[in-house]
């Protein structure tokens, strides 16, 4: 199975931008759904955005208009461009995948920490 590794997190001031990367150990062409989730301290993990193989995207209301998910099948990588960051975006960000509409999410990786603070 494809392994996923997140990177690109860091410390950024409110209003700033970051681009997260999710690098896969193999081809993602046949993976139906690639998604980003996040987990803030003391809170449950929550959905952020996903992109299916046809290119359709879905976003959580809290990030709509600020975040953009994309996938580069040639590089086996999924990105999350985050603009206009807010302190409430502070969390560990994880990527995950579903091979088909009815399959389960895979195991969770280490994630990448995003901290939005002045």
């Amino acid at each position: 199975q494809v392994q996923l590794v997140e990177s690109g997190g860091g410390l950024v001031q409110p209003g700033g931008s970051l681009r997260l990367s999710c690098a896969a150990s193999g081809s993602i062409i046949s993976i139906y759904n690639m998604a980003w989730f996040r987990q803030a301290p003391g809170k449950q993990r929550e959905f952020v955005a996903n992109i299916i193989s046809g290119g359709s995207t879905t976003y959580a209301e809290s990030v709509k208009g600020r975040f953009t998910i994309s996938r580069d099948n040639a590089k086996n990588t999924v990105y999350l461009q985050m603009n206009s960051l807010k302190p409430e975006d502070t969390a560990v960000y994880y990527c995950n995948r579903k091979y088909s509409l009815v399959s389960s999410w895979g195991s969770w990786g280490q994630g990448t920490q995003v901290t939005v603070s002045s």
Side-chain angles (χ1 to χ4, degrees):
Q1 292 194 346
V2 169
Q3 303 298 314
L4 304 174
V5 178
E6 304 93 342
S7 64
L11 172 64
V12 63
Q13 293 187 340
S17 299
L18 281 175
R19 188 178 79 158
L20 306 184
S21 298
C22 172
S25 60
S27 176
I28 65 171
I29 289 177
S30 62
I31 296 179
Y32 172 70
N33 188 346
M34 298 292 299
W36 285 95
F37 295 80
R38 67 186 182 186
Q39 187 168 19
K43 295 187 177 181
Q44 290 192 334
R45 187 175 286 137
E46 65 176 2
F47 168 81
V48 175
N50 76 334
I51 182 167
I52 64 174
S53 53
S56 178
T57 58
T58 305
Y59 296 93
E61 282 298 320
S62 59
V63 306
K64 199 172 290 185
R66 300 188 297 122
F67 290 11
T68 303
I69 188 171
S70 60
R71 61 192 287 170
D72 186 335
N73 290 335
K75 295 183 177 180
N76 299 323
T77 302
V78 176
Y79 302 99
L80 184 69
Q81 177 66 45
M82 306 186 297
N83 298 327
S84 302
L85 283 162
K86 304 176 181 180
E88 50 264 43
D89 295 318
T90 295
V92 178
Y93 284 71
Y94 303 88
C95 64
N96 211 321
R97 82 315 178 255
K98 280 189 178 185
Y99 284 103
S100 71
L101 182 62
V102 298
S103 65
S104 301
W105 293 109
S107 57
W108 297 98
Q110 297 290 326
T112 185
Q113 175 72 49
V114 172
T115 302
V116 185
S117 175
S118 55

